Coordinates of all heavy atoms in Angstrom, one line a residue:
E188 N -5.6 -190.2 -65.4 CA -5.3 -189.0 -66.0 C -5.7 -188.8 -67.5 O -6.1 -187.7 -67.8 CB -3.7 -188.8 -65.9 CG -3.3 -187.4 -66.4 CD -1.8 -187.2 -66.3 OE1 -1.1 -187.8 -65.5 OE2 -1.3 -186.3 -67.0
A189 N -5.6 -189.9 -68.2 CA -6.0 -189.8 -69.6 C -7.6 -189.5 -69.7 O -7.9 -188.8 -70.7 CB -5.7 -191.1 -70.4
I190 N -8.3 -190.0 -68.8 CA -9.7 -189.7 -68.8 C -10.0 -188.2 -68.6 O -10.8 -187.6 -69.3 CB -10.5 -190.5 -67.8 CG1 -10.5 -192.0 -68.2 CG2 -12.0 -190.1 -67.7 CD1 -11.0 -193.0 -67.2
S191 N -9.2 -187.6 -67.7 CA -9.4 -186.2 -67.4 C -9.0 -185.4 -68.6 O -9.6 -184.4 -69.0 CB -8.5 -185.8 -66.2 OG -9.0 -186.4 -65.0
V192 N -7.9 -185.8 -69.3 CA -7.4 -185.1 -70.5 C -8.5 -185.2 -71.6 O -8.8 -184.3 -72.3 CB -6.1 -185.6 -71.0 CG1 -5.7 -185.1 -72.3 CG2 -5.0 -185.4 -69.9
L193 N -9.0 -186.4 -71.8 CA -10.1 -186.6 -72.8 C -11.3 -185.7 -72.5 O -11.8 -185.1 -73.4 CB -10.5 -188.1 -72.8 CG -11.6 -188.4 -73.8 CD1 -11.3 -188.1 -75.2 CD2 -11.9 -189.9 -73.7
K194 N -11.7 -185.7 -71.3 CA -12.9 -184.8 -70.9 C -12.6 -183.3 -71.2 O -13.4 -182.6 -71.7 CB -13.2 -185.0 -69.4 CG -13.9 -186.2 -69.0 CD -14.2 -186.3 -67.6 CE -15.0 -187.6 -67.2 NZ -15.3 -187.7 -65.8
S195 N -11.4 -182.9 -70.9 CA -11.0 -181.5 -71.2 C -11.0 -181.3 -72.7 O -11.4 -180.2 -73.2 CB -9.6 -181.3 -70.7 OG -9.5 -181.3 -69.3
G196 N -10.5 -182.3 -73.5 CA -10.5 -182.1 -74.9 C -11.9 -182.1 -75.5 O -12.3 -181.3 -76.4
I197 N -12.8 -182.8 -74.9 CA -14.2 -182.8 -75.4 C -14.9 -181.5 -75.0 O -15.6 -181.0 -75.8 CB -15.0 -184.0 -74.7 CG1 -14.5 -185.4 -75.3 CG2 -16.5 -183.9 -74.9 CD1 -15.0 -186.6 -74.6
I198 N -14.6 -181.0 -73.8 CA -15.2 -179.8 -73.4 C -14.8 -178.7 -74.3 O -15.5 -177.8 -74.8 CB -14.9 -179.5 -71.9 CG1 -15.7 -180.4 -71.0 CG2 -15.2 -178.0 -71.6 CD1 -15.2 -180.4 -69.6
A199 N -13.4 -178.7 -74.6 CA -12.9 -177.6 -75.5 C -13.4 -177.8 -76.9 O -13.8 -176.7 -77.6 CB -11.4 -177.7 -75.6
L200 N -13.7 -179.0 -77.4 CA -14.2 -179.2 -78.7 C -15.7 -178.7 -78.7 O -16.1 -178.0 -79.7 CB -14.1 -180.7 -79.1 CG -14.5 -181.0 -80.5 CD1 -13.8 -180.2 -81.5 CD2 -14.3 -182.5 -80.7
E201 N -16.5 -179.1 -77.7 CA -17.9 -178.7 -77.7 C -18.0 -177.1 -77.6 O -18.8 -176.5 -78.3 CB -18.6 -179.3 -76.5 CG -18.8 -180.7 -76.7 CD -19.4 -181.4 -75.4 OE1 -19.2 -180.9 -74.3 OE2 -20.0 -182.5 -75.6
A202 N -17.1 -176.5 -76.8 CA -17.1 -175.0 -76.8 C -16.7 -174.4 -78.1 O -17.4 -173.5 -78.5 CB -16.1 -174.5 -75.6
G203 N -15.8 -175.0 -78.8 CA -15.4 -174.5 -80.1 C -16.5 -174.7 -81.1 O -16.7 -173.8 -82.0
L204 N -17.2 -175.7 -81.0 CA -18.3 -176.0 -82.0 C -19.5 -175.0 -81.7 O -20.2 -174.7 -82.6 CB -18.8 -177.4 -81.9 CG -17.8 -178.5 -82.4 CD1 -18.3 -179.9 -82.1 CD2 -17.7 -178.3 -83.9
A205 N -19.6 -174.5 -80.5 CA -20.7 -173.6 -80.2 C -20.5 -172.2 -80.6 O -21.4 -171.4 -80.6 CB -21.0 -173.7 -78.6
V206 N -19.2 -171.9 -81.0 CA -18.9 -170.6 -81.4 C -19.2 -170.3 -82.8 O -19.0 -171.1 -83.6 CB -17.3 -170.4 -81.1 CG1 -16.9 -169.0 -81.8 CG2 -17.0 -170.4 -79.7
D207 N -19.8 -169.1 -83.1 CA -20.0 -168.7 -84.4 C -18.8 -168.0 -84.9 O -18.4 -166.9 -84.4 CB -21.3 -167.7 -84.5 CG -21.6 -167.3 -85.9 OD1 -21.0 -167.8 -86.9 OD2 -22.4 -166.4 -86.0
A208 N -18.1 -168.6 -85.8 CA -16.8 -168.1 -86.2 C -16.8 -166.9 -87.2 O -15.8 -166.3 -87.5 CB -16.0 -169.2 -86.9
G209 N -18.0 -166.5 -87.6 CA -18.1 -165.4 -88.5 C -18.6 -165.8 -89.9 O -18.8 -167.1 -90.1
G210 N -18.9 -164.9 -90.6 CA -19.6 -165.2 -91.9 C -18.6 -165.6 -93.0 O -19.1 -166.3 -94.0
S211 N -17.3 -165.2 -93.0 CA -16.5 -165.5 -94.1 C -15.9 -166.9 -94.0 O -15.7 -167.4 -92.9 CB -15.4 -164.5 -94.2 OG -14.4 -164.7 -93.2
T212 N -15.5 -167.5 -95.1 CA -14.8 -168.7 -95.1 C -13.5 -168.7 -94.5 O -13.1 -169.6 -93.8 CB -14.7 -169.2 -96.6 OG1 -15.9 -169.2 -97.2 CG2 -14.0 -170.5 -96.7
H213 N -12.8 -167.5 -94.6 CA -11.5 -167.3 -93.9 C -11.7 -167.4 -92.4 O -10.9 -168.0 -91.8 CB -10.9 -166.0 -94.3 CG -9.6 -165.7 -93.7 ND1 -9.5 -165.0 -92.5 CD2 -8.3 -166.1 -94.0 CE1 -8.2 -164.9 -92.2 NE2 -7.5 -165.6 -93.1
D214 N -12.7 -166.7 -91.9 CA -12.9 -166.7 -90.4 C -13.2 -168.1 -89.9 O -12.7 -168.5 -88.9 CB -14.0 -165.8 -90.1 CG -13.7 -164.3 -90.2 OD1 -12.5 -164.0 -90.3 OD2 -14.6 -163.5 -90.4
E215 N -14.0 -168.8 -90.7 CA -14.4 -170.2 -90.3 C -13.1 -171.1 -90.3 O -12.9 -171.9 -89.4 CB -15.5 -170.7 -91.1 CG -16.8 -170.1 -90.9 CD -17.9 -170.6 -91.7 OE1 -17.8 -171.7 -92.3 OE2 -19.0 -169.9 -91.8
A216 N -12.3 -171.0 -91.4 CA -11.1 -171.7 -91.5 C -10.1 -171.5 -90.4 O -9.5 -172.4 -89.8 CB -10.5 -171.6 -92.9
K217 N -10.0 -170.2 -90.0 CA -9.1 -169.8 -88.9 C -9.6 -170.4 -87.6 O -8.8 -170.9 -86.8 CB -9.0 -168.3 -88.9 CG -8.0 -167.8 -87.9 CD -7.9 -166.3 -87.9 CE -6.9 -165.8 -86.9 NZ -6.8 -164.3 -86.9
H218 N -10.9 -170.4 -87.4 CA -11.5 -170.9 -86.2 C -11.2 -172.4 -86.1 O -10.8 -172.9 -85.0 CB -13.0 -170.7 -86.1 CG -13.7 -171.3 -85.0 ND1 -13.5 -171.0 -83.7 CD2 -14.7 -172.3 -85.0 CE1 -14.3 -171.8 -82.9 NE2 -15.0 -172.6 -83.7
V219 N -11.4 -173.1 -87.2 CA -11.2 -174.5 -87.2 C -9.7 -174.8 -86.9 O -9.3 -175.7 -86.1 CB -11.6 -175.2 -88.5 CG1 -11.1 -176.6 -88.6 CG2 -13.1 -175.2 -88.6
S220 N -8.8 -174.1 -87.6 CA -7.4 -174.3 -87.5 C -6.8 -174.0 -86.1 O -6.0 -174.7 -85.6 CB -6.7 -173.4 -88.5 OG -5.3 -173.4 -88.3
E221 N -7.3 -172.9 -85.4 CA -6.8 -172.5 -84.2 C -7.6 -173.0 -83.0 O -7.0 -173.1 -81.9 CB -6.8 -171.0 -84.1 CG -5.9 -170.4 -85.1 CD -5.9 -168.8 -85.1 OE1 -6.7 -168.3 -84.3 OE2 -5.1 -168.3 -85.9
G222 N -8.8 -173.5 -83.2 CA -9.6 -173.9 -82.1 C -10.0 -175.4 -82.1 O -9.8 -176.1 -81.2
L223 N -10.6 -175.8 -83.2 CA -11.2 -177.1 -83.2 C -10.1 -178.2 -83.5 O -10.1 -179.3 -82.8 CB -12.2 -177.3 -84.4 CG -13.4 -176.4 -84.2 CD1 -14.4 -176.6 -85.4 CD2 -14.2 -176.6 -82.9
I224 N -9.2 -178.0 -84.4 CA -8.2 -179.0 -84.6 C -7.3 -179.3 -83.4 O -7.0 -180.4 -83.0 CB -7.3 -178.7 -85.9 CG1 -8.2 -178.8 -87.1 CG2 -6.1 -179.6 -86.0 CD1 -7.6 -178.4 -88.4
P225 N -6.8 -178.3 -82.6 CA -6.1 -178.5 -81.4 C -6.9 -179.3 -80.4 O -6.4 -180.2 -79.7 CB -5.7 -177.1 -80.9 CG -5.7 -176.3 -82.1 CD -6.8 -176.8 -83.0
A226 N -8.2 -179.0 -80.2 CA -9.1 -179.7 -79.3 C -9.2 -181.2 -79.7 O -9.2 -182.1 -78.9 CB -10.4 -179.0 -79.1
M227 N -9.4 -181.4 -81.0 CA -9.4 -182.7 -81.5 C -8.1 -183.5 -81.3 O -8.2 -184.7 -81.0 CB -9.7 -182.7 -83.0 CG -11.1 -182.2 -83.4 SD -11.4 -181.9 -85.2 CE -11.2 -183.5 -85.8
G228 N -7.0 -182.9 -81.4 CA -5.7 -183.4 -81.1 C -5.6 -183.9 -79.6 O -5.2 -185.0 -79.4
I229 N -6.1 -183.1 -78.7 CA -6.0 -183.4 -77.3 C -6.9 -184.7 -77.1 O -6.5 -185.6 -76.4 CB -6.5 -182.3 -76.5 CG1 -5.5 -181.1 -76.5 CG2 -6.8 -182.7 -75.1 CD1 -6.1 -179.8 -75.9
A230 N -8.1 -184.6 -77.6 CA -9.0 -185.8 -77.4 C -8.4 -187.1 -78.1 O -8.5 -188.1 -77.5 CB -10.4 -185.5 -78.0
R231 N -7.9 -186.9 -79.2 CA -7.3 -188.1 -79.9 C -6.2 -188.7 -79.2 O -6.0 -189.9 -79.0 CB -6.8 -187.6 -81.4 CG -5.9 -188.6 -82.0 CD -6.6 -189.4 -83.1 NE -5.8 -190.5 -83.6 CZ -5.1 -190.5 -84.7 NH1 -5.2 -189.4 -85.5 NH2 -4.4 -191.5 -85.1
E232 N -5.2 -187.9 -78.6 CA -4.1 -188.4 -77.9 C -4.6 -189.2 -76.7 O -4.1 -190.3 -76.4 CB -3.1 -187.3 -77.5 CG -2.3 -186.8 -78.6 CD -1.4 -185.6 -78.2 OE1 -1.0 -185.5 -77.0 OE2 -1.1 -184.8 -79.1
A233 N -5.5 -188.6 -75.9 CA -6.1 -189.3 -74.8 C -6.8 -190.6 -75.2 O -6.7 -191.6 -74.5 CB -7.0 -188.4 -74.0
T234 N -7.5 -190.5 -76.2 CA -8.2 -191.7 -76.7 C -7.3 -192.8 -77.1 O -7.5 -194.0 -76.8 CB -9.2 -191.4 -77.9 OG1 -10.1 -190.4 -77.5 CG2 -9.9 -192.6 -78.3
D235 N -6.2 -192.5 -77.8 CA -5.2 -193.4 -78.2 C -4.6 -194.1 -77.0 O -4.4 -195.3 -76.9 CB -4.1 -192.7 -79.0 CG -4.5 -192.4 -80.4 OD1 -5.6 -192.8 -80.9 OD2 -3.8 -191.6 -81.1
E236 N -4.3 -193.3 -75.9 CA -3.7 -193.8 -74.7 C -4.7 -194.8 -74.0 O -4.4 -195.9 -73.6 CB -3.4 -192.7 -73.8 CG -2.7 -193.1 -72.5 CD -2.2 -192.0 -71.6 OE1 -2.0 -190.9 -72.1 OE2 -2.1 -192.2 -70.4
L237 N -6.0 -194.4 -73.9 CA -7.0 -195.2 -73.3 C -7.3 -196.5 -74.1 O -7.6 -197.5 -73.4 CB -8.3 -194.4 -73.1 CG -8.3 -193.3 -72.1 CD1 -9.4 -192.4 -72.2 CD2 -8.2 -193.9 -70.7
E238 N -7.2 -196.4 -75.4 CA -7.4 -197.6 -76.2 C -6.4 -198.7 -75.9 O -6.7 -199.9 -76.0 CB -7.3 -197.3 -77.7 CG -7.7 -198.4 -78.6 CD -7.6 -198.0 -80.0 OE1 -7.6 -196.8 -80.4 OE2 -7.6 -198.9 -80.9
M239 N -5.2 -198.4 -75.4 CA -4.2 -199.4 -75.0 C -4.4 -200.0 -73.7 O -3.9 -201.1 -73.4 CB -2.8 -198.7 -75.0 CG -2.4 -198.2 -76.4 SD -2.3 -199.6 -77.5 CE -2.3 -198.8 -79.1
V240 N -5.2 -199.4 -72.8 CA -5.4 -199.9 -71.5 C -6.8 -200.5 -71.2 O -7.0 -201.2 -70.2 CB -5.0 -198.9 -70.4 CG1 -3.6 -198.5 -70.5 CG2 -5.9 -197.7 -70.4
V241 N -7.8 -200.2 -72.0 CA -9.1 -200.7 -71.9 C -9.3 -202.0 -72.6 O -8.8 -202.2 -73.8 CB -10.2 -199.6 -72.4 CG1 -11.6 -200.2 -72.3 CG2 -10.0 -198.4 -71.6
A242 N -9.9 -203.0 -72.0 CA -10.1 -204.3 -72.6 C -11.0 -204.1 -73.9 O -11.8 -203.3 -74.0 CB -10.9 -205.2 -71.7
V243 N -10.6 -204.9 -74.9 CA -11.2 -204.9 -76.2 C -12.8 -205.0 -76.1 O -13.5 -204.3 -76.8 CB -10.6 -206.0 -77.1 CG1 -11.3 -206.0 -78.5 CG2 -9.1 -205.7 -77.4
D244 N -13.2 -205.9 -75.3 CA -14.7 -206.2 -75.2 C -15.4 -205.0 -74.5 O -16.6 -204.9 -74.6 CB -15.0 -207.5 -74.5 CG -14.4 -207.5 -73.1 OD1 -13.4 -207.0 -72.8 OD2 -15.0 -208.2 -72.2
L245 N -14.7 -204.1 -73.9 CA -15.3 -202.9 -73.2 C -15.2 -201.6 -74.1 O -15.8 -200.6 -73.7 CB -14.6 -202.7 -71.9 CG -14.8 -203.8 -70.8 CD1 -14.1 -203.5 -69.5 CD2 -16.3 -204.1 -70.5
W246 N -14.3 -201.7 -75.1 CA -14.0 -200.5 -75.9 C -15.2 -200.3 -76.8 O -15.6 -201.2 -77.7 CB -12.7 -200.7 -76.7 CG -12.3 -199.4 -77.3 CD1 -12.2 -199.1 -78.7 CD2 -11.8 -198.3 -76.7 NE1 -11.7 -197.9 -78.8 CE2 -11.4 -197.3 -77.7 CE3 -11.5 -197.9 -75.3 CZ2 -10.9 -196.1 -77.4 CZ3 -11.0 -196.7 -75.0 CH2 -10.7 -195.8 -76.0
P247 N -15.9 -199.1 -76.7 CA -17.2 -198.9 -77.5 C -17.1 -198.6 -78.9 O -18.1 -198.6 -79.6 CB -17.8 -197.8 -76.7 CG -16.7 -197.0 -76.2 CD -15.6 -198.0 -75.9
V248 N -15.9 -198.3 -79.4 CA -15.7 -198.0 -80.8 C -14.7 -198.9 -81.5 O -13.9 -199.4 -80.8 CB -15.4 -196.5 -81.0 CG1 -16.4 -195.6 -80.5 CG2 -14.1 -196.2 -80.3
P249 N -14.7 -199.0 -82.8 CA -13.7 -199.8 -83.4 C -12.3 -199.3 -83.1 O -12.0 -198.1 -83.2 CB -14.0 -199.7 -84.9 CG -15.4 -199.2 -85.0 CD -15.6 -198.4 -83.8
A250 N -11.4 -200.2 -82.9 CA -10.0 -199.8 -82.6 C -9.3 -199.6 -83.9 O -9.7 -200.2 -85.0 CB -9.3 -201.0 -81.9
Y251 N -8.3 -198.8 -83.9 CA -7.5 -198.5 -85.1 C -7.0 -199.8 -85.8 O -7.0 -200.0 -87.0 CB -6.3 -197.6 -84.9 CG -6.7 -196.2 -84.6 CD1 -6.4 -195.6 -83.5 CD2 -7.4 -195.4 -85.5 CE1 -6.8 -194.2 -83.2 CE2 -7.9 -194.2 -85.3 CZ -7.5 -193.5 -84.1 OH -7.9 -192.2 -83.9
Q252 N -6.5 -200.7 -84.9 CA -6.0 -202.0 -85.3 C -7.0 -202.7 -86.3 O -6.7 -203.2 -87.3 CB -5.6 -202.9 -84.2 CG -4.8 -204.0 -84.5 CD -3.4 -203.8 -84.9 OE1 -2.9 -202.7 -84.9 NE2 -2.6 -204.8 -85.2
K253 N -8.2 -202.8 -85.8 CA -9.3 -203.5 -86.5 C -9.6 -202.7 -87.8 O -9.9 -203.3 -88.9 CB -10.5 -203.6 -85.7 CG -10.4 -204.7 -84.6 CD -11.7 -204.9 -83.9 CE -11.6 -206.1 -82.9 NZ -12.9 -206.3 -82.3
M254 N -9.7 -201.4 -87.8 CA -10.0 -200.6 -89.0 C -9.0 -200.7 -90.0 O -9.2 -200.8 -91.2 CB -10.2 -199.2 -88.6 CG -11.5 -198.9 -87.8 SD -11.9 -197.2 -87.7 CE -10.7 -196.6 -86.4
L255 N -7.7 -200.9 -89.6 CA -6.6 -200.9 -90.6 C -6.4 -202.3 -91.2 O -5.9 -202.4 -92.3 CB -5.3 -200.5 -89.9 CG -5.2 -199.0 -89.5 CD1 -3.9 -198.7 -88.7 CD2 -5.3 -198.1 -90.7
Y256 N -6.7 -203.3 -90.4 CA -6.4 -204.7 -90.8 C -7.5 -205.6 -91.0 O -7.4 -206.8 -90.8 CB -5.3 -205.3 -89.9 CG -4.1 -204.4 -89.8 CD1 -3.8 -203.6 -88.7 CD2 -3.2 -204.4 -90.9 CE1 -2.6 -202.9 -88.7 CE2 -2.0 -203.7 -90.9 CZ -1.7 -202.9 -89.8 OH -0.6 -202.2 -89.7
I257 N -8.7 -205.1 -91.3 CA -9.8 -206.0 -91.6 C -9.6 -206.7 -92.9 O -9.3 -206.1 -93.9 CB -11.2 -205.1 -91.7 CG1 -11.5 -204.5 -90.3 CG2 -12.3 -206.0 -92.1 CD1 -12.7 -203.7 -90.3
L258 N -9.8 -208.0 -92.8 CA -9.5 -208.8 -94.1 C -10.8 -209.1 -94.8 O -11.8 -209.3 -94.3 CB -8.8 -210.1 -93.7 CG -7.4 -209.8 -93.1 CD1 -6.8 -211.1 -92.6 CD2 -6.5 -209.2 -94.1

């Protein structure tokens, strides 16, 4: 299920990035606030869930644990 949610979040994010939000800074900020940030949240939640179940050697990006506690 998390993979389906992640795919949905990615699709929503790609669709949001393809939209021309308008010429003003206000319009662009509103687009990011209402469209891109929620899509990023969906993808992030699914990614966090998947990170807990995928083996470390198969995970293609640095895990939060490694980024936070590198000595």
